[in-house]
């Protein structure tokens, strides 16, 4: 059977047992929990007033039993391109099937990774090396909220796409 | 501090050889993203036209058209991002004394790697190149 979407997961980082998106700050891949719909927490009034920049690390995980996920790409899609927020994405410096370095807290950037805000579709996405069955690749996300940002319902999504043999 | 000297002289230590060239290559790809998205969209539309009359081709054609629409939307979004935030590619490199140099390329100066020094990763983490626009 080819790789199905159910074989692919965006897993939290932060340790094998981590189930808290706010603790998804690099380190070992969570074996239990997908990133879900709220990888970043809500921005409080105080945070939006002062501005807020946060980071999260997640893993694209190929959990098919035998097939390699070939030539995958990852990108940031969005529903609400607010002028007050921006989302950047970077591939982890570590290779496939290697745990990402940890960051000290959600406001601390990972070093030695290249962020961009121009990866917004399959064609413009960041290319990842093939991910063999049972392996994974780390991806860093950065959310920037301008100081004085107006309250709004804003969101973005992490998208990925690759090829599979039948 | 080391990062401030690097930013002042615009020269990285030898261990970072090739890094600025790699960043410029990443930037070239990133700043061509609107064209890339539109070209890919056109390619998908052409593919959809070719397969639509084949056996079971209608479903594939619809899929390709939907992906083409995604790429068109991406191109439009990129155009908005250029206005709101600018497009940028950047990275942080932490020096042995804890200071950090940010290397960045923006769509306003797509052929130039710029340097910005910070005393710590905490300070650097709050920054992004759009603040330099």
């Amino acid at each position: 059977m080819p790789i199905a979407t159910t074989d692919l997961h965006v897993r939290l980082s932060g340790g094998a047992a981590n189930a808290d998106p706010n603790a998804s700050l690099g380190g070992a891949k969570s074996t239990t929990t997908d990133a879900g719909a709220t990888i970043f927490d809500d921005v409080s009034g105080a945070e939006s007033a002062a501005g807020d920049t946060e980071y999260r690390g997640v893993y694209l995980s190929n959990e098919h039993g035998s097939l390699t996920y070939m030539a995958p790409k990852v990108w940031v899609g969005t529903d609400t391109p607010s002028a007050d927020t921006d989302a950047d994405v970077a591939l982890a410096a570590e290779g496939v099937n290697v745990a990402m370095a940890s960051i000290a807290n959600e406001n601390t950037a990972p070093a030695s990774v290249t962020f961009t805000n121009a990866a917004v579709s399959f064609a413009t996405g960041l290319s990842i090396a093939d991910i063999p069955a049972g392996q994974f690749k780390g991806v860093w996300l950065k959310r920037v909220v301008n100081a004085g940002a107006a309250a709004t319902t804003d969101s973005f999504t992490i998208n990925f796409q690759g090829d599979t043999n039948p | 501090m080391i990062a401030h000297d690097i930013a002042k002289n615009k020269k990285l230590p030898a261990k970072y050889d090739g890094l600025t060239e790699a960043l410029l290559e990443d930037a070239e790809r990133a700043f061509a993203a609107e064209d890339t998205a539109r070209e890919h969209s056109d390619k998908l539309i052409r593919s959809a036209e070719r397969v639509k009359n084949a056996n079971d081709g209608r479903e594939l054609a619809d899929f390709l058209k939907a992906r083409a629409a995604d790429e068109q939307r991406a191109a439009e979004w990129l155009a908005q991002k250029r206005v709101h935030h600018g497009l940028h590619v950047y990275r942080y490199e932490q020096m042995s004394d804890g200071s950090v140099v940010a290397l960045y390329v923006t769509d306003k100066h797509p052929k130039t790697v710029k340097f910005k020094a910070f005393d710590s990763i905490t300070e650097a983490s709050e920054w992004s190149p759009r603040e330099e626009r």
Side-chain angles (χ1 to χ4, degrees):
Chain A
M1 293 286 287
I3 295 173
T5 53
T6 50
D7 297 315
L8 300 168
H9 296 264
V10 178
R11 296 290 196 190
L12 298 179
S13 61
N18 182 38
D20 178 5
N22 296 330
S24 189
L25 306 175
K29 183 187 72 159
S30 172
T31 56
T32 61
T33 307
D34 283 355
T38 53
I39 183 71
F40 285 99
D41 52 1
D42 288 344
V43 180
S44 69
E47 286 173 331
S48 66
D52 187 41
T53 299
E54 295 186 3
Y55 298 84
R56 296 287 189 274
V58 296
Y59 290 100
L60 174 54
S61 181
N62 172 15
E63 297 178 17
H64 189 275
S66 58
L67 292 177
T68 293
Y69 193 40
M70 297 183 296
K73 286 186 170 187
V74 62
W75 66 95
V76 173
T78 191
D79 296 320
T80 310
S82 165
D84 285 326
T85 62
D86 200 12
D88 299 349
V89 60
L91 300 180
E94 296 79 11
V96 169
N97 214 36
V98 179
M100 310 158 76
S102 295
I103 55 177
N105 56 54
E106 67 180 6
N107 303 115
T108 301
S112 302
V113 303
T114 301
F115 282 100
T116 180
N117 68 342
V120 298
S121 68
F122 174 77
T124 63
L126 300 179
S127 295
I128 303 173
D130 290 356
I131 303 177
Q135 298 192 14
F136 53 82
K137 170 67 184 179
V139 177
W140 286 104
L141 308 170
K142 175 177 183 174
R143 180 186 69 182
V144 181
V145 179
N146 278 354
T152 185
T153 302
D154 196 26
S155 66
F156 64 91
T157 57
I158 298 303
N159 298 9
F160 57 87
Q161 183 179 325
D163 289 329
T164 174
N165 281 325
Chain B
M1 300 183 85
I2 296 171
H4 291 271
D5 288 340
I6 290 171
K8 182 179 176 184
N9 298 317
K10 296 182 170 45
K11 184 167 175 54
L12 287 160
K15 69 182 271 196
Y16 297 102
D17 279 355
L19 188 59
T20 56
E21 290 81 0
L23 199 62
L24 285 169
E25 287 176 15
D26 289 341
E28 186 175 0
R29 272 193 298 275
F31 301 156
E34 283 164 71
D35 290 340
T36 302
R38 290 199 174 93
E39 286 166 11
H40 193 63
S41 178
D42 292 345
K43 184 178 168 187
L44 290 166
I45 292 290
R46 288 196 298 273
S47 297
E49 285 300 310
R50 280 198 298 273
V51 302
K52 70 179 182 184
N53 294 322
N55 287 341
D56 301 324
R58 173 58 61 185
E59 188 177 349
L60 177 56
D62 288 346
F63 171 80
L64 293 169
K65 286 177 184 173
R67 298 287 79 77
D70 289 345
E71 295 294 343
Q72 281 293 340
R73 274 193 294 274
E76 290 162 13
W77 185 31
L78 281 161
Q80 289 181 341
K81 282 174 85 82
R82 278 187 196 272
V83 174
H84 291 152
H85 311 295
L87 301 181
H88 40 253
V89 172
Y90 62 106
R91 59 189 289 138
Y92 305 102
E93 294 295 339
Q94 191 159 24
M95 302 294 120
S96 57
D97 63 353
S99 63
V100 172
V101 62
L103 308 172
Y104 66 102
V105 187
T106 68
D107 58 336
K108 282 201 169 181
H109 303 284
K111 305 282 189 190
T112 305
V113 176
K114 295 187 175 180
F115 296 72
K116 190 172 180 70
F118 301 92
D119 291 344
S120 68
I121 190 69
T122 303
E123 183 187 347
S125 301
E126 297 175 0
W127 170 90
S128 87
R130 65 187 192 154
E131 294 176 23
E132 309 299 320
R133 301 174 71 224

